Amino acid sequence: MPAHLEIIGARKAFRTPEGGTMTALDGISLKLASAEFLTLLGPSGCGKTTLLRTISGFETLDDGDIVIDGVAVTQMPAHKRPVNTVFQRYALFNHMSVARNVGYALEIAGKSKREITARVGEMLELVGLSGMGKRSVSQLSGGQQQRVALARALAGKPKLLLLDEPLSALDKNLRQKMQQELKSIQRELGIGFVFVTHDQEEALTMSDRIAVLAHGRIQQIDAPSVLYQRPANLFTADFLGESNLLPVTLDGMSAHLADGQSFEVARPSGKATLLLRPEALAVTPPAGPSLSFSGRITQTYYSGKDHQIALDTGQLGPLTALIRTGGTPPEIGATVTLHAPAHGLHLIDETAA
Amino acid sequence: MARRFLTLYGLLFFVFIYAPILLVVVYSFNANTVNMMIWSGFTFDWYRQIFGMETQVTESAIYVDSTDQLYAAIRTSLTVALSTSAFSTICGTALALAVARYRFRLAGFYRTLLMVPMIMPDIVLGIALLIFFITIGMNLSLMSIIIGQSTFLISYVFVTVSARLAEFDTSVEEASADLGATPAQTFRKVTLPGIAPGILGGWLLSFIISMDDLVITYFIAGTGNTTLPIHIWGMLRRGIKPEINAIATLMLLFTLVIAAIGLYFRSRRQK
Ligand SMILES: Nc1ncnc2c1ncn2[C@@H]1O[C@H](COP(=O)(O)OP(=O)(O)OP(=O)(O)O)[C@@H](O)[C@H]1O
Ligand SMILES: [Mg+2]
């Protein structure tokens, strides 16, 4: 299957008011299969919005190409691209009714009244707003406006939908509901979604793949579980979720921690960093070889299911662990020993910055 | 104490502003033909007189043969105001869009330059226009009034539309383009409706100012092009007679109606 969207070596720099330049996209390449849900994740200012805007045609690339379904659209003006966007602040047309908003793309395409009405009805039903067509958009709640924006973007049957933090203005419950709905709509329609979010959990639960961006570059692009369990570099490991990063030295056969513990690993000699997710640490030692860490509890947070504790191990520095203690909460100042199985550990090469 | 003082101040303030206007309205219904400052009963005679209807007032109390001239003046004023306001609205809106949307050197300078005509003393502008028309050899006519008034009315439209554009969220224009609309379609379906209240406001404002302008128009009207303000000015030179009050009251009513229309459309759009 050919790639649905292909970005090849995209570069974009903005001129800053101070007279310098700011590189927003620094050579981005990626491919999106049709019907794939790709999320762009990264710290503020890393170029997520800029990347979306170059796909939709509101920014022109300094260098590189954008190909949609085998057609290079790099020089094509925004209104000719087969791509629609759900804007962060929805950007609904306030002077039009809900129905006219949703039918706008069809109205522009010169479709017949009957066709538009039918499609608008279909779209409103899809997003759960049946019967609201006559309302003015300013009479809608934030969540409803969000749905109108989605319906409007989908009505013209785009080949690709771009979503720039579409859920960020919603409260937590509504957001979770919309996450599921978005996902099921995407599956149902079978079109590609490029989704931008700040919310890691949202990215992990919704995406087929996630592209982690920093400084205008893709740090890693992989399935959520791969990204979480086997981050390619320190940035991704640190950015995504909680992590304990422990430096190790390699001698070709095994890896050695600073406190003398070691475990077997097949890697060339050098330096690397061990990634230990907080949930990998447990109070009861696992069967088989394990690593253990003793220390004094310096802080505890109760999250509802687990206790998150901060442990001061002395030589290895602070560690964060998620533990299930079965009722008795860990106490600050107490000394505990935590264990992690010594197999399947993930090492990050220091050189992969 | 301070509160009382403020209330009193507020009251005096409104009396100060509205008392003269109220007086004119009241006088316009006063039947006293000799001294309008003494109330001697209610009458519509002054209004009837304006429209050339039969009245019981004596010759000496009225301006002779004013009705036809008044109608002609109103016609001239309306012609001028309609043309000027339409022309100024189109130019002012286009300028506001250009300054707001395109980045060019000296944009701030142009913006200031466009506002200057509003603060320019009328007399200076009037003289300047007169000399200009004479220099280029243009006859003073309706056309010269329209061109002359437009030079400063464009500024008013520019300012009103610019204010509206400043609060207009351009992301809806991007949304429109994103959904396939060409720039022209986006302008017609999204931008224009978005800034329509500003355009309407600018149009009404320029219309009212044009109807009302005396000083500048007086300089550039030449002979034979009597607008309503010039006509009234001419009547006043023949003495103040009660008819003036009726004309002033009608003009006030006309202006209020136009302002009300503007407010109505404004509030309807904001809903
Ligand atoms: N029109 C512009 N002019 C100048 N600089 C810009 C412009 N648009 C974006 N930038 C800069 O480019 C960089 C990337 O911006 P972008 O909006 O893509 O970030 P983002 O990843 O979407 O951030 P956020 O998560 O905060 O929305 C930022 O440093 C920003 O300041
Ligand atoms: Mg952004």
Side-chain angles (χ1 to χ4, degrees):
Chain A
M1 190 161 53
H4 189 48
L5 165 74
E6 194 170 355
I7 299 173
I8 308 149
R11 275 175 202 287
K12 174 80 191 174
F14 290 107
R15 222 177 283 172
T16 56
E18 300 83 45
T21 54
M22 158 79 224
T23 307
L25 303 179
D26 192 6
I28 291 207
S29 298
L30 61 83
K31 284 183 186 176
L32 183 90
S34 31
E36 189 179 13
F37 195 119
L38 176 76
T39 296
L40 306 178
L41 187 67
S44 191
C46 70
K48 304 181 294 289
T49 298
T50 307
L51 185 56
L52 278 201
R53 289 173 60 82
T54 59
I55 301 172
S56 55
F58 297 122
E59 303 283 0
T60 47
L61 287 179
D62 297 340
D63 194 18
D65 267 307
I66 295 170
V67 181
I68 298 172
D69 272 354
V71 180
V73 298
T74 321
Q75 304 297 330
M76 202 183 263
H79 67 271
K80 292 198 179 137
R81 299 195 187 190
V83 172
N84 285 350
T85 308
V86 177
F87 292 84
Q88 181 166 6
R89 305 209 174 284
Y90 315 147
L92 295 177
F93 307 127
N94 280 322
H95 59 287
M96 298 181 191
S97 68
V98 168
R100 192 141 174 251
N101 265 276
V102 174
Y104 190 79
L106 304 171
E107 179 184 328
I108 292 296
K111 293 282 190 310
S112 72
K113 274 247 160 60
R114 208 155 45 84
E115 202 173 332
I116 295 177
T117 315
R119 179 80 180 151
V120 166
E122 211 174 290
M123 284 297 112
L124 287 179
E125 196 180 324
L126 182 72
V127 298
L129 288 179
S130 293
M132 301 261 228
K134 289 221 171 62
R135 293 222 197 157
S136 133
V137 289
S138 48
Q139 292 169 343
L140 300 181
S141 72
Q144 290 169 331
Q145 292 190 356
Q146 207 279 321
R147 286 154 197 259
V148 175
L150 182 65
R152 181 180 70 172
L154 289 171
K157 300 193 178 152
K159 292 184 171 170
L160 185 64
L161 192 70
L162 310 177
L163 305 100
D164 195 355
E165 305 193 31
L167 307 180
S168 61
L170 308 181
D171 67 45
K172 196 158 188 286
N173 286 335
L174 192 56
R175 193 159 71 218
Q176 282 176 346
K177 189 158 169 273
M178 282 306 296
Q179 284 172 4
Q180 291 166 5
E181 283 183 27
L182 264 183
K183 187 72 195 159
S184 70
I185 286 172
Q186 189 255 341
R187 277 208 207 93
E188 199 171 314
L189 299 177
I191 62 172
F193 273 35
V194 181
F195 185 88
V196 169
T197 183
H198 261 125
D199 186 334
Q200 300 187 1
E201 212 172 302
E202 192 167 285
L204 290 170
T205 54
M206 296 177 77
S207 323
D208 294 325
R209 283 192 304 158
I210 298 174
V212 177
L213 266 71
H215 312 297
R217 275 184 229 140
I218 294 184
Q219 302 294 319
Q220 186 172 359
I221 175 163
D222 261 314
S225 59
V226 177
L227 215 56
Y228 187 75
Q229 281 156 19
R230 322 201 74 81
N233 59 29
L234 287 177
F235 179 85
T236 313
D238 200 30
F239 182 72
L240 207 67
E242 293 276 335
S243 53
N244 297 300
L245 296 167
L246 303 172
V248 295
T249 45
L250 302 165
D251 62 8
M253 311 260 296
S254 49
H256 303 272
L257 285 167
D259 67 350
Q261 296 191 77
S262 65
F263 52 95
E264 283 180 27
V265 61
R267 290 243 188 168
S269 321
K271 279 178 177 282
T273 301
L274 169 65
L275 169 70
L276 268 186
R277 292 291 184 193
E279 60 274 16
L281 292 162
V283 183
T284 44
S290 69
L291 298 175
S292 47
F293 307 93
S294 304
R296 210 170 50 82
I297 297 177
T298 53
Q299 261 169 333
T300 66
Y301 314 91
Y302 183 54
S303 76
K305 312 196 277 269
D306 306 294
H307 289 280
Q308 186 182 331
I309 62 173
L311 201 67
D312 183 10
T313 60
Q315 204 171 8
L316 291 173
L319 283 184
T320 310
L322 264 189
I323 54 170
R324 217 158 278 187
T325 48
T328 51
E331 270 172 51
I332 292 180
T335 306
V336 287
T337 303
L338 299 175
H339 308 273
H343 56 85
L345 292 170
H346 181 59
L347 285 183
I348 300 161
D349 286 332
E350 297 273 296
T351 46
Chain B
M1 181 65 209
R3 220 189 134 79
R4 278 236 193 102
F5 180 74
L6 265 181
T7 315
L8 186 70
Y9 172 78
L11 222 63
L12 282 174
F13 176 78
F14 282 111
V15 168
F16 177 68
I17 292 187
Y18 287 109
I21 296 172
L22 205 64
L23 219 53
V24 166
V25 175
V26 172
Y27 285 168
S28 75
F29 297 108
N30 188 358
N32 192 326
T33 55
V34 186
N35 189 343
M36 64 169 90
M37 282 161 231
I38 296 165
W39 184 260
S40 63
F42 185 88
T43 179
F44 274 123
D45 273 356
W46 309 120
Y47 291 92
R48 298 171 67 84
Q49 177 60 33
I50 295 174
F51 297 111
M53 290 186 273
E54 254 175 54
T55 57
Q56 283 112 44
V57 286
T58 50
E59 284 277 305
S60 65
I62 53 172
Y63 299 106
V64 235
D65 65 33
S66 59
T67 302
D68 284 346
Q69 288 174 7
L70 184 73
Y71 281 170
I74 289 174
R75 230 181 346 263
T76 308
S77 264
L78 282 176
T79 311
V80 168
L82 282 173
S83 329
T84 315
S85 60
F87 181 70
S88 306
T89 303
I90 292 168
C91 289
T93 303
L95 281 166
L97 278 165
V99 173
R101 292 303 160 79
Y102 295 102
R103 284 163 177 269
F104 47 88
R105 288 192 313 147
L106 302 177
F109 174 70
Y110 284 114
R111 183 173 282 276
T112 315
L113 211 60
L114 276 164
M115 305 222 206
V116 167
M118 289 200 305
I119 53 162
M120 189 90 78
D122 283 4
I123 303 240
V124 175
L125 204 56
I127 293 172
L129 283 167
L130 177 64
I131 291 174
F132 174 75
F133 287 133
I134 291 170
T135 309
I136 65 167
M138 187 170 162
N139 286 330
L140 297 180
S141 61
L142 271 191
M143 202 54 188
S144 63
I145 303 179
I146 292 168
I147 293 173
Q149 286 192 351
S150 295
T151 58
F152 65 99
L153 289 178
I154 286 174
S155 296
Y156 286 89
V157 177
F158 173 78
V159 169
T160 356
V161 177
S162 288
R164 185 76 198 180
L165 268 172
E167 63 189 50
F168 180 70
D169 182 7
T170 50
S171 69
V172 292
E173 290 176 336
E174 287 194 345
S176 170
D178 189 65
L179 294 164
T182 61
Q185 285 172 318
T186 296
F187 182 73
R188 196 156 39 81
K189 287 173 184 276
V190 174
T191 313
L192 215 49
I195 60 172
I199 298 176
L200 186 76
W203 179 58
L204 293 177
L205 189 66
S206 58
F207 185 83
I208 290 177
I209 295 177
S210 169
M211 282 294 287
D212 179 60
D213 182 68
L214 173 65
V215 179
I216 296 167
T217 313
Y218 196 76
F219 278 93
I220 55 177
T223 47
N225 293 303
T226 309
T227 62
L228 186 59
I230 294 178
H231 178 74
I232 294 172
W233 175 241
M235 290 167 84
L236 279 176
R237 286 197 301 191
R238 288 187 273 148
I240 298 181
K241 301 191 181 177
E243 262 177 275
I244 288 287
N245 295 324
I247 295 175
T249 304
L250 286 177
M251 280 182 79
L252 178 67
L253 197 67
F254 178 73
T255 311
L256 286 179
V257 166
I258 287 188
I261 292 172
L263 283 176
Y264 170 73
F265 276 109
R266 202 189 178 94
S267 69
R268 215 180 56 147
R269 189 155 294 288
Q270 273 167 359
K271 249 193 278 174

